[in-house]
Amino acid sequence: MTISDVRTAVKVLNSKIIGMRNYYGLKNAGRYLKKIDWYIIKKFTLWYNYKTQNKRRYVHISEIQQMIYRNGLQKLAV
């Protein structure tokens, strides 16, 4: 698993996230957008653990969260 795989996945996700934020970015929608952010983190963790052949599904979720945000993943809830 190389860092370029993570950057490629982040690049693909960012276009979708920015589009959703522009469409749904209302003042009162923050609570729901945070739930979608958490869903994205969980799915990215599942994908990353599958790629690294880790049998435990949500192992190191906080470390993976930091890694994807360091690589430029955008958030829906601002």
Side-chain angles (χ1 to χ4, degrees), residues 6-56:
V6 174
R7 287 187 181 147
T8 304
V10 166
K11 184 177 179 181
V12 170
L13 283 174
N14 274 343
S15 63
K16 305 294 183 192
I17 290 171
I18 291 170
M20 286 181 68
R21 184 173 52 203
N22 290 339
Y23 188 76
Y24 294 109
L26 304 173
K27 289 181 183 179
N28 301 333
R31 182 175 68 193
Y32 301 108
L33 295 179
K34 285 180 185 178
K35 288 181 181 181
I36 297 172
D37 282 337
W38 182 245
Y39 176 79
I40 291 169
I41 292 167
K42 287 187 346 184
K43 287 298 183 178
F44 199 92
T45 303
L46 288 175
W47 172 80
Y48 185 81
N49 286 335
Y50 175 77
K51 294 284 277 183
T52 57
Q53 297 181 354
N54 194 339
K55 296 194 184 302
R56 293 172 46 199

Side-chain angles (χ1 to χ4, degrees), residues 1 3-4 7 12-13 31 36 40 57-58 71 73:
M1 180 83 188
I3 197 72
S4 64
R7 287 187 181 147
V12 170
L13 283 174
R31 182 175 68 193
I36 297 172
I40 291 169
R57 294 176 59 165
Y58 294 111
N71 284 304
L73 185 71

Side-chain angles (χ1 to χ4, degrees), residues 64-75:
I64 294 170
Q65 179 181 5
Q66 291 173 0
M67 178 185 60
I68 59 177
Y69 286 131
R70 269 195 315 259
N71 284 304
L73 185 71
Q74 299 288 317
K75 290 184 180 181

